[in-house]
Amino acid sequence: MRHRMAERPTGTVTFLMTDIEASTRRWEEQPEAMRIALMRHDATLREVIEANGGWPFKHTGDGMLAAFAAAQPAIQAAIAAQRLLELPVRMGVCTDEAELRDDDYFGPALNRTARIMAAAHGGQVLVAAATAAIVDAADLVDLGEHRLRDLSQPQRLYQVRAEGLQEKFPALRTLDARPGNLPAQGTSFLGREHELVEVAEMLGRVRLLTLTGVGGVGKTRLALQVAAELSPEYPDGTWLVELAAIGDPTATGHAVAGTLGIAQQPGLTIEQSVVTTLSRRGLLLVLDNCEHLIEAVALLAHDIVTRCPNVRVLATSREALMVDGEQIWSVPSFSFREGASSPAVALFVERARAVAPQ
Protein backbone atom coordinates (compact mmCIF):
# COMPACT_ATOMS: atom_id res chain seq x y z
CA MET A 1 0.00 0.00 0.00
CA ARG A 2 1.29 3.47 -0.86
CA HIS A 3 0.71 6.33 1.55
CA ARG A 4 0.71 10.03 0.89
CA MET A 5 4.04 11.58 1.84
CA ALA A 6 3.66 13.11 5.31
CA GLU A 7 4.27 16.78 5.88
CA ARG A 8 7.62 17.57 7.46
CA PRO A 9 6.70 18.42 11.06
CA THR A 10 8.25 21.63 12.39
CA GLY A 11 8.38 23.32 15.77
CA THR A 12 7.34 20.82 18.42
CA VAL A 13 7.96 17.35 16.99
CA THR A 14 7.47 13.83 18.33
CA PHE A 15 10.32 11.52 17.38
CA LEU A 16 10.25 7.73 17.18
CA MET A 17 13.62 5.99 17.16
CA THR A 18 14.14 2.25 16.75
CA ASP A 19 17.05 -0.17 16.96
CA ILE A 20 17.43 -3.93 16.57
CA GLU A 21 18.66 -5.53 19.77
CA ALA A 22 21.92 -7.53 19.50
CA SER A 23 22.14 -6.80 15.79
CA THR A 24 25.94 -7.17 15.66
CA ARG A 25 25.78 -10.72 16.98
CA ARG A 26 23.02 -11.58 14.51
CA TRP A 27 25.08 -10.25 11.60
CA GLU A 28 28.10 -12.30 12.70
CA GLU A 29 26.21 -15.55 13.27
CA GLN A 30 23.70 -15.50 10.40
CA PRO A 31 24.55 -12.76 7.90
CA GLU A 32 22.25 -13.96 5.09
CA ALA A 33 19.28 -14.53 7.38
CA MET A 34 19.89 -11.13 8.95
CA ARG A 35 20.02 -9.45 5.56
CA ILE A 36 16.60 -10.85 4.64
CA ALA A 37 15.15 -10.10 8.06
CA LEU A 38 16.45 -6.53 7.88
CA MET A 39 14.74 -5.95 4.54
CA ARG A 40 11.41 -7.07 6.03
CA HIS A 41 12.11 -4.98 9.15
CA ASP A 42 12.73 -1.83 7.08
CA ALA A 43 9.63 -2.34 4.96
CA THR A 44 7.43 -2.93 8.00
CA LEU A 45 8.67 0.13 9.84
CA ARG A 46 8.29 2.42 6.84
CA GLU A 47 4.79 1.09 6.19
CA VAL A 48 3.46 1.64 9.72
CA ILE A 49 5.20 5.00 10.14
CA GLU A 50 3.74 6.40 6.93
CA ALA A 51 0.34 4.82 7.66
CA ASN A 52 0.22 6.84 10.86
CA GLY A 53 1.22 10.11 9.23
CA GLY A 54 4.90 9.99 10.18
CA TRP A 55 7.93 10.89 8.13
CA PRO A 56 10.85 8.39 8.25
CA PHE A 57 13.74 10.76 7.67
CA LYS A 58 16.80 8.74 8.62
CA HIS A 59 17.96 5.12 8.45
CA THR A 60 20.57 4.17 11.03
CA GLY A 61 21.58 0.80 9.60
CA ASP A 62 19.71 -1.33 12.12
CA GLY A 63 17.02 1.18 12.97
CA MET A 64 15.01 4.16 11.84
CA LEU A 65 14.19 7.71 12.90
CA ALA A 66 10.76 9.15 12.19
CA ALA A 67 9.09 12.49 12.91
CA PHE A 68 5.43 13.03 13.74
CA ALA A 69 3.43 16.22 14.08
CA ALA A 70 1.57 14.73 17.08
CA ALA A 71 2.43 12.29 19.83
CA GLN A 72 -0.51 9.88 19.59
CA PRO A 73 0.24 8.72 16.01
CA ALA A 74 3.87 8.08 16.97
CA ILE A 75 2.81 5.74 19.76
CA GLN A 76 0.28 4.06 17.47
CA ALA A 77 3.01 3.47 14.90
CA ALA A 78 5.29 1.97 17.56
CA ILE A 79 2.56 -0.41 18.73
CA ALA A 80 1.70 -1.48 15.18
CA ALA A 81 5.35 -2.08 14.37
CA GLN A 82 6.01 -4.17 17.47
CA ARG A 83 3.05 -6.40 16.62
CA LEU A 84 4.44 -7.07 13.15
CA LEU A 85 8.22 -7.13 13.56
CA GLU A 86 9.99 -10.47 13.70
CA LEU A 87 13.23 -9.12 15.16
CA PRO A 88 13.52 -7.78 18.75
CA VAL A 89 13.40 -4.01 18.33
CA ARG A 90 13.69 -1.43 21.07
CA MET A 91 11.93 1.92 20.63
CA GLY A 92 11.97 5.37 22.17
CA VAL A 93 9.45 8.20 21.78
CA CYS A 94 10.14 11.82 22.78
CA THR A 95 8.46 15.16 22.10
CA ASP A 96 10.29 18.48 22.02
CA GLU A 97 11.23 21.38 19.79
CA ALA A 98 13.63 20.66 16.93
CA GLU A 99 14.98 22.49 13.90
CA LEU A 100 14.28 21.07 10.44
CA ARG A 101 17.18 21.68 8.09
CA ASP A 102 17.93 19.97 4.74
CA ASP A 103 15.63 16.99 5.38
CA ASP A 104 17.11 16.36 8.81
CA TYR A 105 16.45 17.53 12.35
CA PHE A 106 18.80 19.14 14.84
CA GLY A 107 18.55 19.82 18.54
CA PRO A 108 18.70 18.14 21.95
CA ALA A 109 15.44 16.27 21.28
CA LEU A 110 17.25 13.86 18.94
CA ASN A 111 19.86 13.02 21.56
CA ARG A 112 17.21 12.55 24.23
CA THR A 113 15.19 10.22 22.00
CA ALA A 114 18.30 8.15 21.34
CA ARG A 115 19.05 7.84 25.06
CA ILE A 116 15.48 6.80 25.84
CA MET A 117 15.57 4.18 23.10
CA ALA A 118 18.95 2.90 24.34
CA ALA A 119 17.42 2.27 27.78
CA ALA A 120 14.83 -0.12 26.35
CA HIS A 121 14.96 -3.84 25.58
CA GLY A 122 13.89 -5.60 22.40
CA GLY A 123 10.10 -5.47 22.10
CA GLN A 124 9.82 -2.55 24.52
CA VAL A 125 8.54 0.97 23.74
CA LEU A 126 9.64 3.72 26.14
CA VAL A 127 8.04 7.16 26.20
CA ALA A 128 9.36 10.43 27.63
CA ALA A 129 7.34 12.31 30.23
CA ALA A 130 6.86 15.22 27.81
CA THR A 131 5.16 12.85 25.39
CA ALA A 132 3.12 11.04 28.03
CA ALA A 133 1.71 14.38 29.20
CA ILE A 134 0.05 15.12 25.86
CA VAL A 135 -1.50 11.75 24.98
CA ASP A 136 -4.74 10.47 26.47
CA ALA A 137 -5.49 7.40 24.36
CA ALA A 138 -2.49 5.28 25.26
CA ASP A 139 -1.95 2.85 28.11
CA LEU A 140 1.32 3.96 29.69
CA VAL A 141 3.02 2.34 32.67
CA ASP A 142 4.97 4.74 34.88
CA LEU A 143 8.45 3.28 35.34
CA GLY A 144 9.67 6.06 37.61
CA GLU A 145 12.69 8.31 37.22
CA HIS A 146 15.89 7.09 35.60
CA ARG A 147 19.27 8.62 34.76
CA LEU A 148 19.90 8.41 31.04
CA ARG A 149 23.31 8.19 29.47
CA ASP A 150 23.20 11.83 28.38
CA LEU A 151 23.96 12.64 32.06
CA SER A 152 20.83 14.75 32.35
CA GLN A 153 18.83 15.02 35.54
CA PRO A 154 16.70 11.90 36.22
CA GLN A 155 13.94 11.54 33.64
CA ARG A 156 10.55 9.94 34.22
CA LEU A 157 9.95 7.19 31.68
CA TYR A 158 6.83 5.31 30.66
CA GLN A 159 6.33 1.95 28.96
CA VAL A 160 3.66 1.49 26.33
CA ARG A 161 1.25 -1.33 27.18
CA ALA A 162 -0.99 -2.74 24.45
CA GLU A 163 -2.52 -6.00 23.35
CA GLY A 164 0.05 -8.18 21.60
CA LEU A 165 3.06 -6.45 23.19
CA GLN A 166 5.35 -8.01 25.76
CA GLU A 167 4.82 -6.48 29.22
CA LYS A 168 7.65 -7.74 31.44
CA PHE A 169 11.28 -6.76 30.82
CA PRO A 170 14.53 -6.68 32.78
CA ALA A 171 15.62 -3.44 34.47
CA LEU A 172 16.07 -0.53 32.09
CA ARG A 173 19.55 0.02 30.65
CA THR A 174 20.20 3.30 32.44
CA LEU A 175 22.96 4.65 34.65
CA ASP A 176 20.91 3.56 37.66
CA ALA A 177 21.51 -0.07 36.72
CA ARG A 178 25.30 0.21 37.11
CA PRO A 179 27.58 1.30 39.96
CA GLY A 180 29.29 4.64 39.56
CA ASN A 181 29.24 8.32 40.47
CA LEU A 182 29.01 10.19 37.17
CA PRO A 183 27.38 13.55 37.96
CA ALA A 184 24.29 14.85 36.23
CA GLN A 185 24.97 17.68 33.77
CA GLY A 186 22.82 20.77 33.53
CA THR A 187 23.18 21.08 29.76
CA SER A 188 23.03 18.81 26.72
CA PHE A 189 26.05 17.26 25.07
CA LEU A 190 26.26 19.21 21.82
CA GLY A 191 28.69 19.46 18.96
CA ARG A 192 31.12 16.66 19.74
CA GLU A 193 29.29 13.60 18.50
CA HIS A 194 32.15 12.59 16.17
CA GLU A 195 34.72 13.07 18.92
CA LEU A 196 32.56 11.01 21.26
CA VAL A 197 32.57 8.05 18.87
CA GLU A 198 36.29 8.35 18.16
CA VAL A 199 37.34 8.56 21.81
CA ALA A 200 35.02 5.70 22.83
CA GLU A 201 36.43 3.49 20.09
CA MET A 202 40.00 4.38 21.06
CA LEU A 203 39.34 3.57 24.71
CA GLY A 204 38.24 0.13 23.59
CA ARG A 205 41.74 -0.45 22.18
CA VAL A 206 43.97 1.08 24.88
CA ARG A 207 44.11 0.86 28.66
CA LEU A 208 45.16 4.45 29.38
CA LEU A 209 43.84 7.38 27.36
CA THR A 210 44.55 11.03 28.18
CA LEU A 211 42.43 13.85 26.77
CA THR A 212 44.60 16.94 26.52
CA GLY A 213 43.82 20.56 25.67
CA VAL A 214 43.70 24.08 26.99
CA GLY A 215 41.56 24.96 29.98
CA GLY A 216 37.86 25.28 29.17
CA VAL A 217 38.02 23.44 25.84
CA GLY A 218 35.65 20.72 27.06
CA LYS A 219 37.91 17.85 28.16
CA THR A 220 35.87 17.00 31.25
CA ARG A 221 32.49 17.08 29.50
CA LEU A 222 33.76 14.82 26.73
CA ALA A 223 35.32 12.39 29.21
CA LEU A 224 32.12 12.19 31.24
CA GLN A 225 30.01 11.54 28.16
CA VAL A 226 32.38 8.83 26.94
CA ALA A 227 32.21 7.20 30.39
CA ALA A 228 28.42 7.34 30.38
CA GLU A 229 28.18 5.81 26.92
CA LEU A 230 30.53 2.97 27.87
CA SER A 231 29.00 2.29 31.30
CA PRO A 232 27.25 -0.97 30.27
CA GLU A 233 30.66 -2.48 29.46
CA TYR A 234 32.00 -2.20 33.01
CA PRO A 235 30.35 -4.47 35.59
CA ASP A 236 31.89 -2.56 38.51
CA GLY A 237 30.94 0.83 37.17
CA THR A 238 32.33 4.08 35.82
CA TRP A 239 33.89 6.36 38.42
CA LEU A 240 34.95 10.00 38.36
CA VAL A 241 37.84 11.19 40.56
CA GLU A 242 37.90 14.99 40.62
CA LEU A 243 41.48 16.15 41.25
CA ALA A 244 41.17 19.89 40.67
CA ALA A 245 40.87 20.66 44.39
CA ILE A 246 43.74 18.37 45.41
CA GLY A 247 46.81 20.50 46.15
CA ASP A 248 49.12 17.88 47.65
CA PRO A 249 50.40 15.23 45.21
CA THR A 250 50.65 12.72 48.07
CA ALA A 251 46.86 12.96 48.47
CA THR A 252 46.21 11.62 44.96
CA GLY A 253 45.94 8.00 46.07
CA HIS A 254 43.64 8.97 48.93
CA ALA A 255 41.34 10.81 46.48
CA VAL A 256 41.04 7.72 44.30
CA ALA A 257 40.54 5.44 47.29
CA GLY A 258 37.89 7.73 48.79
CA THR A 259 35.92 7.80 45.54
CA LEU A 260 35.98 4.02 45.21
CA GLY A 261 35.42 3.26 48.89
CA ILE A 262 38.79 1.52 49.29
CA ALA A 263 40.37 1.32 52.74
CA GLN A 264 44.12 1.23 53.28
CA GLN A 265 45.23 -2.33 53.94
CA PRO A 266 47.72 -3.28 56.70
CA GLY A 267 51.30 -3.18 55.49
CA LEU A 268 50.40 -1.42 52.21
CA THR A 269 50.47 2.19 51.10
CA ILE A 270 47.18 3.73 50.02
CA GLU A 271 48.32 3.49 46.38
CA GLN A 272 49.16 -0.21 46.79
CA SER A 273 45.78 -0.77 48.43
CA VAL A 274 44.03 0.85 45.48
CA VAL A 275 45.91 -1.27 42.94
CA THR A 276 45.38 -4.50 44.90
CA THR A 277 41.63 -3.89 45.16
CA LEU A 278 41.23 -2.83 41.54
CA SER A 279 43.06 -5.94 40.33
CA ARG A 280 39.84 -7.83 41.10
CA ARG A 281 37.44 -5.34 39.52
CA GLY A 282 36.27 -4.35 36.06
CA LEU A 283 35.67 -0.63 35.83
CA LEU A 284 36.44 2.64 34.05
CA LEU A 285 38.29 5.24 36.10
CA VAL A 286 38.07 8.88 35.00
CA LEU A 287 40.89 11.00 36.48
CA ASP A 288 39.89 14.60 35.89
CA ASN A 289 42.21 17.66 35.92
CA CYS A 290 45.56 15.94 36.38
CA GLU A 291 47.91 18.70 35.19
CA HIS A 292 49.02 19.91 38.63
CA LEU A 293 49.57 16.35 39.90
CA ILE A 294 51.23 14.88 36.83
CA GLU A 295 53.91 12.79 38.49
CA ALA A 296 51.66 11.30 41.19
CA VAL A 297 48.84 10.57 38.74
CA ALA A 298 51.24 9.09 36.20
CA LEU A 299 52.72 6.67 38.73
CA LEU A 300 49.33 5.52 39.99
CA ALA A 301 47.78 5.25 36.52
CA HIS A 302 50.74 3.22 35.28
CA ASP A 303 50.46 0.79 38.21
CA ILE A 304 46.72 0.41 37.67
CA VAL A 305 46.89 -0.40 33.97
CA THR A 306 49.89 -2.69 34.54
CA ARG A 307 48.38 -4.75 37.35
CA CYS A 308 44.61 -4.43 36.88
CA PRO A 309 43.68 -6.20 33.62
CA ASN A 310 39.99 -5.22 33.67
CA VAL A 311 40.41 -1.55 34.51
CA ARG A 312 40.75 1.27 32.01
CA VAL A 313 41.82 4.81 32.84
CA LEU A 314 40.55 7.91 31.06
CA ALA A 315 42.43 11.04 32.19
CA THR A 316 41.96 14.73 31.40
CA SER A 317 44.92 17.08 31.62
CA ARG A 318 46.44 20.14 30.02
CA GLU A 319 49.51 17.99 29.40
CA ALA A 320 50.12 14.28 28.87
CA LEU A 321 51.06 11.94 31.70
CA MET A 322 54.00 10.61 29.65
CA VAL A 323 53.92 6.99 30.82
CA ASP A 324 54.32 3.76 28.87
CA GLY A 325 51.12 2.63 27.18
CA GLU A 326 49.45 6.05 27.30
CA GLN A 327 47.47 7.16 24.27
CA ILE A 328 47.05 10.92 23.91
CA TRP A 329 44.02 12.54 22.26
CA SER A 330 43.97 16.31 21.82
CA VAL A 331 40.52 17.86 22.28
CA PRO A 332 39.95 20.51 19.57
CA SER A 333 38.24 23.82 20.10
CA PHE A 334 34.75 24.29 18.70
CA SER A 335 34.63 25.51 15.11
CA PHE A 336 32.60 28.50 13.90
CA ARG A 337 33.09 27.68 10.21
CA GLU A 338 29.44 26.63 9.75
CA GLY A 339 28.21 29.99 10.96
CA ALA A 340 24.85 30.04 12.72
CA SER A 341 24.50 26.25 12.39
CA SER A 342 27.87 25.49 13.97
CA PRO A 343 28.07 23.44 17.20
CA ALA A 344 29.67 26.40 18.97
CA VAL A 345 26.64 28.60 18.22
CA ALA A 346 24.20 25.83 19.21
CA LEU A 347 26.01 25.43 22.51
CA PHE A 348 25.97 29.19 23.12
CA VAL A 349 22.22 29.38 22.36
CA GLU A 350 21.41 26.56 24.78
CA ARG A 351 23.49 28.16 27.54
CA ALA A 352 21.82 31.52 26.90
CA ARG A 353 18.33 30.00 27.03
CA ALA A 354 19.19 28.33 30.32
CA VAL A 355 19.91 31.76 31.79
CA ALA A 356 17.16 33.74 30.00
CA PRO A 357 14.48 31.42 28.51
CA GLN A 358 12.78 34.31 26.70
Side-chain angles (χ1 to χ4, degrees), residues 29-95:
E29 295 178 354
Q30 296 179 308
E32 183 57 26
M34 183 61 179
R35 185 186 66 81
I36 297 172
L38 184 61
M39 291 176 60
R40 291 198 293 263
H41 159 277
D42 292 353
T44 297
L45 277 177
R46 186 170 295 276
E47 175 76 14
V48 298
I49 288 170
E50 293 181 349
N52 285 278
W55 175 43
F57 64 93
K58 183 178 292 185
H59 196 283
T60 60
D62 294 329
M64 197 169 290
L65 257 168
F68 294 79
Q72 188 67 42
I75 293 178
Q76 292 172 342
I79 293 172
Q82 291 289 18
R83 287 171 174 164
L84 295 172
L85 289 168
E86 301 170 359
L87 294 168
V89 175
R90 50 187 180 169
M91 301 184 181
V93 182
C94 182
T95 305

Side-chain angles (χ1 to χ4, degrees), residues 41 61 63 78 118 173 183 274 295 317 320:
H41 159 277
R173 295 184 171 110
V274 167
E295 185 175 346
S317 178

Side-chain angles (χ1 to χ4, degrees), residues 331-350:
V331 179
S333 300
F334 276 121
S335 171
F336 287 88
R337 287 180 297 178
E338 299 175 30
S341 62
S342 69
V345 173
L347 189 64
F348 173 81
V349 170
E350 179 174 308

Side-chain angles (χ1 to χ4, degrees), residues 226-240:
V226 169
E229 295 293 335
L230 297 178
S231 60
E233 300 181 15
Y234 297 93
D236 294 312
T238 48
W239 298 88
L240 169 68

Side-chain angles (χ1 to χ4, degrees), residues 115 118 147-151 173 175 225 228-229 231-232:
R115 300 301 185 265
R147 290 194 62 207
L148 303 177
R149 276 187 267 168
D150 60 358
L151 296 175
R173 295 184 171 110
L175 292 180
Q225 194 59 51
E229 295 293 335
S231 60

Side-chain angles (χ1 to χ4, degrees), residues 1-48:
M1 179 187 300
R2 299 293 296 177
H3 301 282
R4 181 178 60 85
M5 181 65 70
E7 295 288 334
R8 273 64 166 157
T10 57
T12 299
V13 180
T14 296
F15 294 101
L16 168 63
M17 181 177 288
T18 76
D19 181 67
I20 300 172
E21 189 175 52
S23 60
T24 300
R25 176 176 56 80
R26 295 173 187 276
W27 277 113
E28 292 174 348
E29 295 178 354
Q30 296 179 308
E32 183 57 26
M34 183 61 179
R35 185 186 66 81
I36 297 172
L38 184 61
M39 291 176 60
R40 291 198 293 263
H41 159 277
D42 292 353
T44 297
L45 277 177
R46 186 170 295 276
E47 175 76 14
V48 298

Side-chain angles (χ1 to χ4, degrees), residues 64-332:
M64 197 169 290
L65 257 168
F68 294 79
Q72 188 67 42
I75 293 178
Q76 292 172 342
I79 293 172
Q82 291 289 18
R83 287 171 174 164
L84 295 172
L85 289 168
E86 301 170 359
L87 294 168
V89 175
R90 50 187 180 169
M91 301 184 181
V93 182
C94 182
T95 305
D96 206 342
E97 292 186 358
E99 179 186 355
L100 176 61
R101 191 192 321 143
D102 298 330
D103 285 344
D104 200 356
Y105 288 94
F106 298 86
L110 277 299
N111 293 331
R112 183 60 48 80
T113 308
R115 300 301 185 265
I116 293 172
M117 181 272 295
H121 297 272
Q124 190 173 30
V125 182
L126 295 182
V127 175
T131 306
I134 57 176
V135 296
D136 54 14
D139 187 0
L140 302 177
V141 181
D142 188 345
L143 300 181
E145 292 189 337
H146 296 267
R147 290 194 62 207
L148 303 177
R149 276 187 267 168
D150 60 358
L151 296 175
S152 60
Q153 295 294 330
Q155 306 291 314
R156 185 166 295 276
L157 299 178
Y158 296 80
Q159 177 182 310
V160 175
R161 182 166 55 189
E163 183 178 353
L165 270 60
Q166 181 179 337
E167 289 191 22
K168 296 187 180 299
F169 297 91
L172 297 184
R173 295 184 171 110
T174 61
L175 292 180
D176 309 278
R178 296 284 183 183
N181 70 335
L182 299 182
Q185 301 295 296
T187 53
S188 303
F189 183 76
L190 294 173
R192 292 204 186 275
E193 287 76 12
H194 294 298
E195 289 95 332
L196 176 63
V197 172
E198 186 174 339
V199 173
E201 290 179 347
M202 187 177 297
L203 194 56
R205 300 191 300 268
V206 302
R207 299 283 310 288
L208 171 58
L209 176 61
T210 302
L211 304 183
T212 62
V214 299
V217 76
K219 301 183 296 293
T220 298
R221 187 66 176 93
L222 178 58
L224 290 175
Q225 194 59 51
V226 169
E229 295 293 335
L230 297 178
S231 60
E233 300 181 15
Y234 297 93
D236 294 312
T238 48
W239 298 88
L240 169 68
V241 182
E242 299 181 273
L243 299 173
I246 305 299
D248 182 358
T250 63
T252 301
H254 290 278
V256 175
T259 297
L260 298 173
I262 297 174
Q264 186 169 349
Q265 301 175 23
L268 299 179
T269 66
I270 190 64
E271 291 81 8
Q272 291 169 337
S273 300
V274 167
V275 173
T276 299
T277 302
L278 292 186
S279 66
R280 302 186 296 271
R281 295 186 185 177
L283 56 81
L284 174 61
L285 190 62
V286 180
L287 303 177
D288 189 37
N289 290 305
C290 303
E291 54 273 351
H292 60 301
L293 305 167
I294 285 291
E295 185 175 346
V297 173
L299 288 173
L300 182 56
H302 180 265
D303 286 346
I304 289 173
V305 298
T306 301
R307 296 182 51 194
C308 308
N310 297 314
V311 175
R312 279 183 163 80
V313 177
L314 177 60
T316 74
S317 178
R318 297 187 185 185
E319 55 184 288
L321 303 184
M322 302 303 292
V323 297
D324 290 342
E326 178 189 27
Q327 180 74 45
I328 303 166
W329 199 89
S330 180
V331 179

